Structure formats: structure tokens, C-alpha cells
Amino acid sequence: MPHVISRTPKMAQSGHSSGMPADKNISSSVTRVIVKTAGKQEDFMIADDTSVRQFKEKLSTHFKCQMDQLVLVFMGRLLKDHDTLSQRGILDGHTIHLVIKSKRSSRSLAHSSRNLSTKEPCHQVRNTEGNTNGVYQPAGVSHTPLESALLVEPDAPKVHSQDLEVSGPEYIAQMLQNPSIQQLLSNTDLVRQFISEHPDMQQLMQQSPEVSYILDNSDILWQTLELARNLAMIQEIMQIQQPEQILEHPLNPQSHLGLETLPGGDNALGQSYVDCNDQMLNSSQDLFGGNPFPALLEGQVLQQLQSSPPSPPPPQERQDQLPQLPTTRVIYTSSHGLSSITSASVTPNKVNHTPSTHTTTISTKGPSPTCPIQQPARVPALPSIELTQHMPQLSEQYRQQLPTFLQQTQLSDMLIALANPKASQAILQIEQGLQLLATEAPVLLPWVAPYLWGLGWLPAPSCSHPDTVPWAWDVPDIAEPKGPECCHKSGTGLQSLQSLAGDPSHLLQAPEIRFSQQMESLQAMGFGNHHANLQALIATEGDTSAAIRKLKRSHGF
Amino acid sequence: MEPPNLYPVKLYVYDLSKGLARRLSPIMLGKQLEGIWHTSIVVHKDEFYFGSGGISSCPPGGTLLGPPDSVVDVGSTEVTEELFQEYLSSLGESLFRREAYNIFENNCNTFTNEVAQFLTGRKIPSYITDLPSEILSTQPLPTPGPYLSANSDSVSPELGPCPTKILAGLAGLARPFGQALRPFLDPIQIQPHGGSPIGRPNGQS
């Protein structure tokens, strides 16, 4: 009579039962097997000729479960009830694995059909914990097979209707691939019943009766499904219908891709960008004095390019666009080779995003003061090619002016910085502060020498103070040469920067402020006519000695 | 009775160091390691592994690690897919809970070994399971100071300090590598991404 003793592993290691020596003769029929389950293992002493069924009985009492919940695995083989342990080659010290199935799954196994049973574990594996329990709440009996498959994890603690969204489209897609589900879905009556009986759908239909009409119309349903499958198509539709909105916002670079998927989409892209460009520039006619692009087409651009940009002091927001203007025109109408060069030279200036040159991120409004100079360079190459085809003579002239363009674009960093009114103001403030320092406490000037160096400050204090500060170095003369006895007055550092950049934004400030220091010195010299002084200074761009000569001449000395 | 279905069981082996361990381990640890192994079991057309996120599964080769560096045939099993799921769920609640991950004692290879034995009765190759003990068994050596100075006497003048001597000195420093790093490595958890967790029907936190 086989006796079964179950011990904890620790006890087992301490040795066999006391009756071991006596059992040695019988021990050939009694084996100690290790049963491993769920991360723990226990020893069992059983007789060789024990059948699997009997063994299961023992185990079921030991583990407090039903026999059909037990599955024994040895060497990868499932142990059938009618086998004996010795038949399966289970010897002393071998390990048998035990899986105790949960009650529910053993029940659902019995119900589900054959093909579903192979697919269930897939769903079990692939679905997250918050799972498809709530997808369909079918009421009819005919839904049982589906229900048993879908309710595989009924105890998921987070079963809410929100789990529908949590499970995500990919899970639904996987479910749709299940042939049994496809079979169910192909049954139109069933599907209609599904949808109409779903409480959420019923709520929706109460709120908007049109939905029920839509659901009845199979064509609409089919189109909706097609659309849902092809999200790219949706994007394209949205893009085509809303080009105006693009004007105000920079284009999402991904949106190009939508149109490109359409045959001939590239042409549509290019055309839409041309349209955008023209529209935007047409809208800003008052600032630019007319859309320069049609003007270009008519060949009037030559005069416009060669003349200097208008110099009346414009308001701040125009300031951002004026420097943009010449570069815009130039780059837009350049030849194909030129445009590639300019775009290449602009890229080091931290042009971000857009893989292609097709962008319309030209904002003509002030709020992005740092961008306007970058953006014109990204004008599409497509329209430029068309233009140059029409105007070969224009392209010739532009090639000649290539070096200037290059210089301009290389200096575009400075242009950008200077176009920022705040930056210019900051530089001015620095200069004014230094001037003040020079007048009040010249002894401190060596401490701020690095700043003076950068601003092109020549080593001479204002004329009204004796020169007591020795300078040990020569400050490089960046800008146009000034008289060595004269000191630079306010705005000269900024002017030097601006003249270097060739940028008309030195017109930022009213001349009175820029030349205030020169005015003071002129006053000190005895030129009392404030207005005349100002005019002279404006004419000479702040050069005090030249202004003095001018004033003398005008006064007839 | 129809013959039961036999499902092949494979072991996917990944070298997490991508060959660096083979080259640098002699210097760093003083012994040769062929790799830092991460393994997973592939059965029923799914890959199962244990990481810091618990037991996870994905399509074979579907983690961020990409395709395996080697594939070992473990054998075949009669265990059906849903039975295997049950088994994994029970493991995931007991021995291989997410928080039970320990890089030395209860890691992906421990899991794989366990599962392989369940499925086929066979263990995974020992070079994989011996890895933590290999690393931890590096012995601290005496300080490299006398080691270096003793060698500097024999340095040939034209070469200056021989680079290999310097490396040897560094290796001496690195000898207690494994032990010293243990407190730092213990909280490390490896979880290749690209899998989905496996949970028990009764809800696993």
C-alpha cells in the first residue's frame, strides 16, 4: 500500500522518513518525486506503479483543488491519467511540474469552440490588463461563442468602459484578424444587432437621430471604414481644404507627405506654395509697395534691386521686413544654381526642420523678429525655376550680383541679430553706459576695456574732459575711420556694426538720440543752431569733424 | 488517440554587451567572459522573457534588442499554449513578480531556465546561468601599488612605462570589480522593450 508523505523541502533535505532502511527493499517501488508548482516545490513519496490519476488525487487533496485543474508535465510531456509514473520514466529525484489551472479558464475551455481555443491565449497574451471585456456587451444567446472568447479575462480589476480606449486600435486590429470574429462580422444582422444594442450607441442615437440613419446606409458606413483605414487620406483632404489657415502658422512638415501620396501630389504642393506666397505678399502690399513678384515678372526688379531701400524711419514692425525685402526678392528670383547656393549657405544659420525646400513659413508679422531673414531663404525652388525660365536675362544679372548676395546671406546672422530691436537697444545702452563711465569715471574704463574693444571705441575721452586715461592697446578700427581726437558718441558702435552688416536698420533710432553726444560737442564748440547741427550730423552720419566742416561751410566761414 | 502535438522550444540568446564583454572582460575582471547574456524562450510563436517589467511577451525577435545573437534548441513540448499561459501567470504571481527581479539571483536567465525545465525538462546551457557567479566571484587582489612599483624597476628606459604594465595595474584595480559593484548593480533591472506583460486573469497588480 503506497504511502504518500508530503514534506516541505527543508524537511526533505534533512533526510527521508525513519522507515527508510526498512523501506529500502520496497524503495524500488517507492520514489521520491519533486513536484514543482507556481514557484515552489514539494517532495512526494509515491510508489512506482502509481498511476497518474491516483497521483492527481493525492495532489488535489494536498493543494486543495479539483482534479481537472491539475496538469502534470514531465520532460515536456503531459501526463495522462491512465499512465503510471514508471511508464513515463519518472524515477527517483525527478521533478514533475504541476500547473493548477484557474477554475474559470477550465470552464471557458469547455465552452469555447475549437478554433477559438487556439486564439484565446493570443488575446490573453497580447491584451493588456485593461482589456477588451467591455468591447461588446451582447445580449443575445447567439453571442455566446464570441462572449466566451472575449471574456477571457473577466476579472480584470480595471474593467471600465474607458478600457476601450486603453486597449487601443492595435488590439482591435488584431481582434479583427481573428477568423472567427471575421465570420461573425460578416453576418450583417449580427453586426447590426451588436451596434444597435450597445448602450453607448443607443445613447448616441437618442441624442442625434441622424446617426441611426447613417448606420442604416451601408454606403456611408463603407466609406467611413475606408477613411478610417486610410488616415493619410484624411490628412490630405484636410490639407487641401484649408490652405488659408496655413498662412498664419508654420506648416507642419509632416503635412507635405499627405499630398505627396496622391499621384501628382508634388505638383499640387508646389502650386499651393506658390499660391500661398503670392497671397501673403499681396496682402502685405502696403508694406512692400506692391507684390514684388509680379513686378519681377515684368522686369521692374532691376531698378528696385539697385536702388537702396527706402530710408524714412519706418515703424518697428516694418523694420523687420525691410531687411527681408531685398533678400527675399533676390533669393526668390535667382537662378536654380543660385538658389541652391543660397539655401546651402543659409543652412548653417540654423535653419531648422523641413526636409525639403518647400515651405511657406514666411511670417510677415513682427512677432517673430528673429525669423524674417531666415525664412526668405527657404522660399521654394520650384517657382524660381519657372521665373528664370521666363527671364533668362534676369538670371544673368543675378549671377553677377552673386558675391553680394553671398555676403549678405553670410552676414545674415548679424542681420538677424540687428533686426531684433531689443538687441539694438541693448547695444545702444551699453554704449551709453560706457560713455557715461568715460565722462564720470574714466579711471574705470580699463576695467571695461573688452567691451570697448568690441565696439570699436577709440581710446579718447570726450573733448570736454582732459585725456587722462592711458590706453595700452590699439582698438581695431572696424567701421569707417573717425578722427583720432574725436570720441565716438552714442550710437557709433551700433553704427559700425550696422555698416558692417550693410543693413539699413541703423535707422532704428531718431537721429537726435543717436547724435546726442555729437550735438553736445557741437554745442560746446559754439555751434548754437541745434537744428542745423542735427542736419549736419545726419548728413555726415555722425562724423563730428565732417559735420563741423559742413556747418562752417554753410555758415560761410 | 491522436498523437499529441509537439511544439518546438527555442532559447534566444542576446549579448547585451554586443561583444564588448568578450574584449574587455579580461582587463576588467581578470577572467574571460564571452558576453553578458540575456535570454528568452520562444514557444508557440511568441517570445517570453522576464525583466524589470515582469514577465513579458512579444513576437520572436521583437524587442529592441533585435534578432538574437544565437538560438539554442531546447527541445519540444506538449504543453499547449493556454496551459503555458496558466503556468506563466502562476509564475508571475510567485517567483517572477515584477518586483522580484534581481539582476544576480533572479534575472531573465533564471526565468528562462525555469521555463525551459517546465517545457522540456532540460536546463539552459550552463554558461548562461553561471554568469552572475562568474562576475561575483572575482577576487580582490592586493593593492596595485607594490605591483606597479615592482615592475617599474624592470622597465626599459627607452620605452618608458610599458603600456601593458599600466593595464595590468589597472586590472589589479579592477579585480574587485564584481564584488564592489554589486551594491550598485543590484537595483539595476533590464527590460528589453517591445513586449507586453502577461497577467493572471484574476488580476495582477
Side-chain angles (χ1 to χ4, degrees):
Chain A
M1 185 161 156
H3 58 277
V4 179
I5 302 173
S6 102
R7 296 178 187 166
T8 62
K10 283 199 180 140
M11 286 177 58
Q13 286 165 10
S14 63
H16 296 293
S17 67
S18 57
M20 196 54 196
D23 290 354
K24 246 202 177 335
N25 293 336
I26 324 169
S27 67
S28 58
S29 64
V30 174
T31 43
R32 177 180 68 90
V33 293
I34 306 168
V35 174
K36 261 183 127 164
T37 183
K40 59 183 188 292
Q41 64 181 46
E42 300 190 5
D43 283 11
F44 285 84
M45 307 287 295
I46 47 167
D48 273 347
D49 53 359
T50 310
S51 72
V52 173
R53 167 172 282 279
Q54 287 167 328
F55 191 40
K56 276 190 177 177
E57 285 168 2
K58 296 289 178 275
L59 291 173
S60 66
T61 53
H62 181 80
F63 287 106
K64 317 275 186 305
C65 55
Q66 297 172 6
M67 269 184 59
D68 57 357
Q69 285 179 269
L70 299 176
V71 177
L72 291 170
V73 179
F74 179 68
M75 296 302 286
R77 303 291 177 266
L78 299 171
L79 299 182
K80 307 273 188 300
D81 288 357
H82 56 83
D83 291 334
T84 64
L85 296 182
S86 55
Q87 266 182 343
R88 301 306 307 225
I90 298 173
L91 301 175
D92 195 45
H94 282 176
T95 304
I96 303 178
H97 296 268
L98 170 70
V99 179
I100 303 173
K101 296 191 287 205
S102 66
K103 290 197 168 73
R104 188 163 286 101
S105 59
S106 57
R107 195 165 24 112
S108 66
L109 266 184
H111 289 155
S112 57
S113 55
R114 192 175 175 78
N115 58 346
L116 281 179
S117 66
T118 57
K119 290 297 179 182
E120 261 178 27
C122 296
H123 300 159
Q124 213 171 345
V125 172
R126 297 207 174 96
N127 292 334
T128 55
E129 298 170 49
N131 122 309
T132 55
N133 184 24
V135 173
Y136 296 116
Q137 303 271 356
V141 173
S142 61
H143 303 155
T144 310
L146 191 60
E147 168 188 346
S148 58
L150 291 172
L151 291 180
V152 162
E153 293 188 332
D155 285 354
K158 311 173 198 97
V159 173
H160 310 291
S161 56
Q162 291 111 355
D163 290 343
L164 293 176
E165 293 88 276
V166 168
S167 41
E170 57 269 11
Y171 299 116
I172 298 181
Q174 282 176 357
M175 275 181 53
L176 283 173
Q177 287 166 8
N178 184 349
S180 61
I181 290 186
Q182 281 175 358
Q183 194 184 2
L184 281 166
L185 286 175
S186 60
N187 185 350
T188 53
D189 290 334
L190 202 60
V191 174
R192 188 172 301 195
Q193 204 176 355
F194 264 173
I195 295 175
S196 53
E197 285 179 7
H198 191 71
D200 284 349
M201 284 301 299
Q202 284 172 346
Q203 204 175 1
L204 182 65
M205 280 196 275
Q206 280 166 12
Q207 287 168 358
S208 56
E210 298 87 14
V211 174
S212 59
Y213 171 69
I214 290 175
L215 288 176
D216 285 337
N217 189 339
S218 59
D219 282 341
I220 298 180
L221 280 175
W222 187 80
Q223 279 191 2
T224 315
L225 281 176
E226 285 295 315
L227 267 186
R229 271 185 218 135
N230 196 350
L231 290 177
M233 261 190 352
I234 293 178
Q235 280 181 359
E236 288 166 21
I237 291 171
M238 286 174 54
Q239 286 300 325
I240 292 171
Q241 288 174 355
Q242 299 169 8
E244 298 83 26
Q245 292 184 8
I246 297 173
L247 294 181
E248 291 306 315
H249 314 286
L251 257 187
N252 183 356
Q254 309 251 338
S255 63
H256 311 322
L257 306 174
L259 273 178
E260 283 167 4
T261 61
L262 277 178
D266 264 353
N267 294 338
L269 263 183
Q271 190 55 44
S272 73
Y273 292 136
V274 174
D275 295 339
C276 287
N277 272 338
D278 287 344
Q279 281 176 19
M280 283 196 294
L281 288 162
N282 279 333
S283 66
S284 57
Q285 274 178 24
D286 54 335
L287 294 173
F288 289 155
N291 186 349
F293 301 121
L296 286 170
L297 284 173
E298 293 161 20
Q300 294 171 8
V301 66
L302 291 178
Q303 297 108 12
Q304 285 172 342
L305 272 178
Q306 286 159 4
S307 69
S308 58
S311 64
Q316 281 292 351
E317 56 271 15
R318 290 194 194 196
Q319 197 49 50
D320 302 332
Q321 293 136 18
L322 272 182
Q324 175 194 20
L325 177 57
T327 50
T328 308
R329 286 189 240 151
V330 161
I331 297 172
Y332 184 87
T333 61
S334 60
S335 66
H336 185 57
L338 179 60
S339 70
S340 63
I341 293 173
T342 53
S343 58
S345 64
V346 162
T347 46
N349 296 330
K350 302 174 200 110
V351 173
N352 52 0
H353 80 270
T354 58
S356 66
T357 57
H358 301 173
T359 69
T360 56
T361 54
I362 299 176
S363 65
T364 56
K365 301 301 168 196
S368 59
T370 59
C371 292
I373 297 175
Q374 275 182 354
Q375 288 154 359
R378 291 194 250 114
V379 165
L382 271 181
S384 68
I385 297 173
E386 296 168 6
L387 282 174
T388 53
Q389 280 168 358
H390 293 303
M391 329 236 77
Q393 64 274 22
L394 272 181
S395 61
E396 281 304 315
Q397 280 146 0
Y398 300 153
R399 275 202 207 93
Q400 291 163 7
Q401 294 172 17
L402 177 59
T404 326
F405 304 160
L406 281 181
Q407 193 187 14
Q408 279 188 341
T409 53
Q410 282 160 10
L411 296 171
S412 54
D413 265 342
M414 296 189 64
L415 288 178
I416 294 161
L418 289 172
N420 184 356
K422 294 220 169 80
S424 322
Q425 277 180 14
I427 295 177
L428 269 168
Q429 281 176 7
I430 293 173
E431 291 197 31
Q432 285 165 4
L434 286 168
Q435 269 180 0
L436 200 58
L437 197 62
T439 55
E440 299 296 324
V443 67
L444 288 176
L445 279 175
W447 293 98
V448 295
Y451 305 113
L452 302 179
W453 188 300
L455 290 173
W457 195 279
L458 279 188
S462 72
C463 303
S464 54
H465 295 268
D467 185 359
T468 58
V469 181
W471 296 98
W473 55 84
D474 287 331
V475 177
D477 196 15
I478 306 174
E480 66 262 20
K482 314 272 185 199
E485 288 87 19
C486 297
C487 60
H488 293 269
K489 311 302 178 189
S490 68
T492 49
L494 184 62
Q495 285 175 39
S496 62
L497 277 177
Q498 288 161 345
S499 57
L500 176 67
D503 187 280
S505 62
H506 65 278
L507 298 172
L508 246 185
Q509 290 202 316
E512 284 182 5
I513 303 172
R514 289 165 51 214
F515 303 136
S516 62
Q517 200 69 16
Q518 288 94 323
M519 292 290 291
E520 279 175 33
S521 59
L522 288 175
Q523 294 268 355
M525 287 180 222
F527 295 99
N529 190 345
H530 182 87
H531 183 71
N533 294 349
L534 191 60
Q535 291 299 320
L537 281 171
I538 291 171
T540 60
E541 294 289 312
D543 186 355
T544 317
S545 51
I548 293 169
R549 284 195 291 276
K550 199 174 176 63
L551 285 168
K552 282 186 187 168
R553 259 182 275 120
S554 66
H555 287 197
F557 287 166
Chain B
M1 285 275 280
E2 74 268 11
N5 290 329
L6 278 185
Y7 308 102
V9 180
K10 297 265 188 286
L11 179 78
Y12 277 15
V13 184
Y14 303 85
D15 179 7
L16 292 179
S17 70
K18 295 287 179 208
L20 287 180
R22 187 184 310 123
R23 279 189 271 151
L24 297 181
S25 58
I27 298 174
M28 300 288 280
L29 296 179
K31 60 169 76 169
Q32 177 73 36
L33 292 179
E34 290 304 316
I36 309 291
W37 307 116
H38 165 82
T39 54
S40 56
I41 286 282
V42 174
V43 65
H44 298 296
K45 305 207 178 39
D46 272 320
E47 180 174 349
F48 301 94
Y49 55 93
F50 177 60
S52 52
I55 303 177
S56 313
S57 79
C58 66
T63 65
L64 282 186
L65 297 172
D69 293 303
S70 63
V71 177
V72 178
D73 185 14
V74 187
S76 51
T77 186
E78 286 178 6
V79 175
T80 62
E81 194 164 353
E82 56 96 21
L83 182 66
F84 186 54
Q85 285 295 322
E86 285 271 354
Y87 170 73
L88 286 182
S89 302
S90 67
L91 276 190
E93 285 181 337
S94 57
L95 192 57
F96 294 105
R97 298 181 311 276
R98 169 188 304 194
E99 55 271 11
Y101 184 90
N102 177 291
I103 193 162
F104 285 116
E105 265 128 36
N106 198 26
N107 57 20
C108 53
N109 303 329
T110 320
F111 168 77
T112 319
N113 204 10
E114 193 72 28
V115 170
Q117 288 181 66
F118 169 77
L119 286 176
T120 64
R122 293 207 273 272
K123 298 188 175 182
I124 64 177
S126 59
Y127 69 88
I128 298 172
T129 46
D130 291 342
L131 187 65
S133 58
E134 288 274 328
I135 293 180
L136 291 178
S137 69
T138 56
Q139 296 293 330
L141 278 190
T143 58
Y147 184 73
L148 270 178
S149 61
N151 283 310
S152 61
D153 295 343
S154 58
V155 159
S156 58
E158 63 266 23
L159 284 181
C162 180
T164 56
K165 297 278 194 297
I166 292 179
L167 276 180
L170 284 177
L173 273 173
R175 286 299 166 84
F177 188 72
Q179 291 289 356
L181 279 191
R182 169 140 202 189
F184 298 106
L185 290 179
D186 262 340
I188 287 180
Q189 301 182 332
I190 298 177
Q191 171 78 358
H193 290 279
S196 54
I198 296 178
R200 182 113 208 191
N202 292 326
Q204 177 183 352
S205 63

